[in-house]
Amino acid sequence: MRFRAKIVDLACLNHFSRIINTIAKLAKTCILRLTVCKLYFILSDKVANGGASMWCELSQGNFFDEFQMEGVAAEHNEIYLELVPENLSRALKTAQNAKAVKIKLTNKHCPCLSVAVELPSLSSSSRIVTHDIPVGVIPRRMWNDFREPSVPDFDVSIYLPALKTMKSVVERMKNLSNLIVIEANLSGEMNLKIETDLVAVTTHFKDLGNPPWASEDGCESNTQDRDLESMAEACIDIKKLLQLLAGQQVNPTKALCNIVHKRIVHFILLHEEVSLQYFIPAIA
Amino acid sequence: MKCVIAGGNVKVLGRAVHSLSRIGDELYLEPTEGGLSLRAVNSSRSAFASFLFAPLFFQLYEPGSTGPDTELFRCKVHMKSFLGIFRSLPSLEKSVGKCLILLKPRASRLVLQLHCKYGVTKTHNLAFQECERLQAVFDTQRCASRLCAPARVLAEAVVHFPLTLAEVTLGTGPGGKIGLRNYVEEEAGESCRVRGLPPTLGCPSAPHPPRFPPPELSKTMVTELWLAEDEFQSVAMAPGSHITFCLKEFRGLLSFAEASNLPLTIHFDEPGRPVIFTLDDTVLEVHLVLATLSDLESNSQSPSTNGVSHLPAPSDDFPDDLESYMVAMETSEGGLEGPPSPTFPLRTPRPAESQPEEEEEEEEEGAVPGTPPHKKFRSLFFGSVMTPGRPGPATSQEVLAEDSDGES
């Protein structure tokens, strides 16, 4: 089982760092799945995570100049690692003007992801900083726990408002309540509501637009028959929502959410080279 | 004592106070004929800093009258109060033209007066306590190794380590490179950072905290940085030498050095003997003395294994052999536990013997306090009458004998 990768382009490095920073805000520990073409950051919906789960997918070709991996076996050419993304984020933080960054899977005192940053210096040789991030190798028999979640059978799908705006609204609401209700309809309207004994606050967003979803079997999706004005809602933990919004450092190309009435909210954030899905279950 | 600091030097004084505030809770002021000395020591007596401002630094410097029998007055004040006056360095620079420091022993007050723009004068009256001379025992001449580098290089090196990191190891490596590595406590079979609790006053030291088998991921990230010799202004290091010290106190001095654009010299000897950081200028002399971790095993280990306890060599080819690891994992029952394979030796530091040297100008009285065994960072270099040190915040081993004379 081997993994070696190298980034030399500063823009790619910056972009990759930003993605890792976002992941670090969403999960304390997560799974990194490496395949020949892609990297995945996965958080499964265990109770320890508060039921929230995450699936982030990026194409390695968009970031790495060199990328070689050999999985556990020929027919299972993948590697699953458990790591603390905050460590990776910290390792990359001071690499912003690096000449090159190499990442390797090594086994020093335990399996580690070794990040070697080559920094420019005034002397004849560059400075090398290495960070050994301890990782846990996930055995093959547990890989099934980390399959890609399917898009739920949602009631409403709607584009999100500007994330910055949404974040500042939710930030203020967090001071008043632990739970927030997201509701939306197929007419492009979304409301964020909180309600406590003393106060109820609602923020209304209009004209957001609803993304068109084609159903797999060619029929119209089941939202076709739905009343356009009727709201689907879910009451979720406000902190989880804020973690998602606060972690976004760059505006995504597309941001939308799918609401299954009183069950779950599924957020999809798409950038050019990376897609992030985050599921927050509704609290009864 | 009376002195006046003018212009840009007020900010320098402010920065010095900020640096000292990273060390201890009390600021010791000692006017001497050679200048005004500001000093601080931390509670575990494992860090000491002194800033000596020569008379030239001041617009006016009167240390006070000394008779044949009287000493110059010295005192200590609460660091917080003193720091509060110099809290905001940018506003010091912008609005303060002059700073007057006046020590009034009979009135029991230390007066600091800031003369600011627009005729505003801020006067602070601080309470002080008389004290003994605070002096660490150290001698840079006796240090086998010495490194001198522009502060910027060291600041750039230290930035890669997290702010919460306690200890860092500085040492030589192959190719004459000089490396910094965060120090991680490791015991065979378990790899979590255990931070012992400092004992509370009058109580026996806390027993070794119970260890729970840690999940794999509680192992800490290890960061290592290698600098080429030519980044330093001068290098005189014995090959294979290394020392481990606290980063937190060093950072305080580093930011002062960076702001003053002065080169920093690091003097050190064997592990266990203090490391001394110095900054020199025509009007200013700064010393920071930190206790270092000693190597228990370096005496008892055979020479062949001795090298393991030093900084591992930097290599581009990390061992890639996870195959054996994977095999072991696939065959083990349940869980993510792999075979434990520590490559760090079991290192239980033991403090070096105390060898306080009396220097001629020292005025200590009283016996050197007995050395309690099994403490990590210990005050090796205080021979004064001050109460003996308590263990520092770093991991404490099981203490077999507690302080016989704790603070009352």
Side-chain angles (χ1 to χ4, degrees), chain B residues 106-398:
Chain B
R106 271 171 291 261
S108 292
R109 282 288 178 267
L110 175 70
V111 179
L112 261 106
Q113 207 172 57
L114 299 175
H115 296 254
C116 313
K117 273 198 315 201
Y118 312 119
V120 173
T121 308
K122 297 186 203 173
T123 309
H124 301 261
N125 291 300
L126 301 171
F128 63 77
Q129 258 184 297
E130 279 187 54
C131 60
E132 290 296 326
R133 185 159 191 225
L134 176 70
Q135 177 61 57
V137 177
F138 61 92
D139 184 359
T140 56
Q141 300 303 316
R142 289 196 43 172
C143 290
S145 306
R146 199 193 65 234
L147 275 177
C148 182
R152 183 192 46 81
V153 168
L154 293 170
E156 283 170 3
V158 152
V159 81
H160 297 281
F161 296 88
L163 287 169
T164 49
L165 177 66
E167 291 103 39
V168 74
T169 304
L170 167 73
T172 52
K177 289 200 179 229
I178 290 133
L180 276 175
R181 180 173 213 252
N182 63 322
Y183 176 74
V184 182
E185 278 283 320
E186 294 221 30
E187 302 263 337
E190 293 179 8
S191 307
C192 51
R193 290 190 86 158
V194 178
R195 306 193 75 74
L197 306 163
T200 47
L201 287 167
C203 306
S205 311
H208 211 44
R211 309 269 189 103
F212 305 100
E216 287 261 323
L217 292 176
S218 66
K219 292 177 193 159
T220 10
M221 182 163 121
V222 172
T223 301
E224 204 170 273
L225 164 75
W226 293 95
L227 296 167
E229 222 179 275
D230 55 6
E231 299 224 50
F232 293 82
Q233 285 174 351
S234 84
V235 176
M237 277 171 83
S241 58
H242 67 283
I243 40 153
T244 303
F245 57 88
C246 255
L247 197 50
K248 173 177 154 233
E249 284 113 6
F250 177 53
R251 279 187 205 265
L253 180 69
L254 199 51
S255 49
F256 180 87
E258 235 193 330
S260 325
N261 210 13
L262 290 170
L264 189 65
T265 309
I266 309 177
H267 305 262
F268 64 97
D269 206 44
E270 305 158 353
R273 299 206 50 78
V275 57
I276 305 147
F277 303 89
T278 58
L279 289 173
D280 273 305
D281 187 51
T282 44
V283 294
L284 176 61
E285 214 178 276
V286 186
H287 291 279
L288 170 67
V289 189
L290 297 179
T292 63
L293 213 51
S294 61
D295 269 350
L296 172 66
E297 301 302 322
S298 54
N299 295 330
S300 48
Q301 268 180 356
S302 58
S304 56
T305 53
N306 203 20
V308 185
S309 62
H310 296 170
L311 282 177
S315 72
D316 278 336
D317 270 334
F318 307 120
D320 258 9
D321 61 344
L322 273 146
E323 299 301 334
S324 51
Y325 184 86
M326 285 306 296
V327 168
M329 266 194 45
E330 297 284 321
T331 53
S332 70
E333 291 171 337
L336 297 174
E337 289 157 22
S341 51
T343 55
F344 295 139
L346 172 60
R347 194 191 331 197
T348 44
R350 174 209 52 163
E353 291 307 311
S354 162
Q355 285 163 29
E357 281 109 3
E358 304 278 2
E359 297 187 343
E360 281 171 346
E361 55 270 36
E362 298 291 285
E363 291 174 288
E364 287 97 40
E365 300 165 303
V368 173
T371 326
H374 288 286
K375 290 217 179 103
K376 276 276 287 279
F377 286 108
R378 243 184 5 97
S379 65
L380 309 177
F381 44 80
F382 282 96
S384 74
V385 291
M386 307 235 249
T387 48
R390 289 159 25 201
T395 308
S396 61
Q397 305 292 322
E398 185 187 338

Side-chain angles (χ1 to χ4, degrees), chain A residues 98-150:
Chain A
K99 280 155 80 170
V101 173
K102 292 191 204 160
I103 306 180
K104 248 193 236 199
L105 188 56
T106 61
N107 187 16
K108 294 190 176 175
H109 51 291
C110 69
C112 282
L113 215 51
S114 293
V115 180
V117 181
E118 192 184 330
L119 292 163
S121 78
L122 292 177
S123 83
S124 48
S125 49
S126 321
R127 279 181 210 159
I128 312 263
V129 187
T130 51
H131 304 267
D132 292 325
I133 302 166
V135 295
V137 180
I138 309 282
R140 210 180 328 147
R141 60 176 182 273
M142 294 176 72
W143 288 6
N144 272 330
D145 290 351
F146 307 110
R147 276 174 306 184
E148 178 167 6
S150 45

Side-chain angles (χ1 to χ4, degrees), chain A residues 14-15 18-19 22 163 247-253 269-271:
Chain A
N14 263 317
H15 197 168
R18 278 201 298 265
I19 295 169
T22 305
L163 290 188
Q248 296 306 306
Q249 299 177 316
V250 181
N251 272 329
T253 326
L269 301 170
L270 295 171
H271 296 80

